[in-house]
Amino acid sequence: MEAFDLLAQGFAVALTPTGLFSIFMGVLIGQIVGALPGLGPAAGMALLLPVTFGMDPNAAVMMLAGILYGGMYGGTITSVLINVPGESSSVMAAIDGHQLARRGRAGAALAVAAVGSFFAGVVGTVALAFAAVGLSAIALRFNAPEFFLLAVLGIIATASLGTGSPTKALLMGAVGLAIGAVGTDPISGNARLTFGNSYLVDGFDFLPVAIGLFGIAEVLVSLENVHAEKPITTRLRDMWMTSAEWAQSRMAVLRGSAIGFVVGLMPGAGATVAAFLAYVVERRFSRNPEMFGKGALDGVAASESANNSSVTGALAPMLALGIPGSTGTAVLLAALVLQGIRPGPTLMADQPILVWSLIASMFIGNVVLLVMNLPLAPLFAALLRVPYVLLAPAILVFSLVGAYAATMSFVTMVVAMGFGIVGYLMIKADLPRAPLVLALVLAPLLEESLRQSLLLSLGSPMIFVERPFALALLITVIVFLAMPFVLRRFSKAGV
């Protein structure tokens, strides 16, 4: 009963005028920075840290947390409408969401993302409120070997991201890993694969690569038939989800919420890994797996639910143990330090009102997001009625500005344009783009955890079978590696 009493006290603080204003401003700013390629929730929080200096600690933390989970939905808007992911966890929404938009179903894609985000946020917050300490203790048993195998599982599972050849998907995943190796060695600090170019020392940032491969490449392909491209016609009744689509998406939302929260508990995994794993799992459970990559509403539902619930999952180790589970929670931790609050295992005991007002604010913030976005989904979708000859230049400008904002350097604009050409050639050659981007995201985690594992074991690979969680993940990796080829052989044999 103590948890319910503390939660009631948290709601008493969150429902004050100051608390409600902080929550509303947080989710509003979060959506804006999430929709702008190059910023993202963590960057938006960092930019607003100075604003929190004179604020009440409770209000400051509630506002910054609102930016964190509000930004998860903001990135979906540009992903669905113009195929430009606002941040890395929105890549999965872009794969199917934009295909739905091209069929006049952008409203349905945005609606299921809003509902999925709301449900995942509420479920994740309930789990955070009543299971944070116990779940965090389990998550902390994950070390370098488990994170390496989790990243390998992600790379192997890229074969499930399309309806084409799994060999092509794995090949593009390998190319993504090679691109991720460019830059500075994470262990020794030496430059590698830079060919003497100082601009490559920091490697290839995810955002300009994704903007090029998805946004710019799609525009280049469409410009070949610019006169044939007509505005997407959307009828009002098509901008909402049908009862069959609601039924189709229910379990996807539920599974995505569970996967996202569990992945969020693992420090360093992040929303991108959560959205990716939820998408892959949902394709296995879907009644129409052939639609994934072509406009699967349950694919959007699963990935968007996962990236939102991962935010609450990442808060669990931060609140229970003082260990940030993601970049965004690291910024939130910095905000606590700036307010003179010491984070750590005693935070929930020393600052119960702050912790429980934060948890209560997340319930309220998710309701605000749903009320704000559900009626606006048809309005956002109506933007696609603009003739493509006018929309294409706007998408290009938006993409290049987003690429520049990522590092405030014109070099990233060149990188985005270069990968736009690469993406155009990949479309022409029927090569999947999503595995390349996701392998690029997972490359740092994979390399660092592999080398740390071998350092811990003095070079022995037995570390990957001696630990129970690592062994379970290794078996899963082997199953995932063999599954696409086994299924294809059975389908050819007519079994």
Side-chain angles (χ1 to χ4, degrees), residues 143-195:
N143 209 321
E146 287 79 14
F147 283 120
F148 166 70
L149 290 168
L150 189 65
V152 171
L153 178 61
I155 303 298
I156 296 300
T158 55
S160 301
L161 287 181
T163 55
S165 165
T167 305
K168 286 184 178 179
L170 291 174
L171 176 62
M172 289 300 100
V175 172
L177 289 177
I179 295 171
V182 175
T184 303
D185 186 297
I187 303 298
S188 68
N190 296 324
R192 62 186 183 188
L193 301 176
T194 60
F195 305 100

Side-chain angles (χ1 to χ4, degrees), residues 173-195 200-205 209 419 436 439-448 451:
V175 172
L177 289 177
I179 295 171
V182 175
T184 303
D185 186 297
I187 303 298
S188 68
N190 296 324
R192 62 186 183 188
L193 301 176
T194 60
F195 305 100
L200 294 178
V201 170
D202 292 329
F204 287 101
D205 190 71
V209 174
F419 276 97
L436 189 155
L440 177 62
V441 172
L442 293 172
L445 175 65
L446 184 144
E447 181 184 6
E448 289 179 29
R451 295 174 69 176

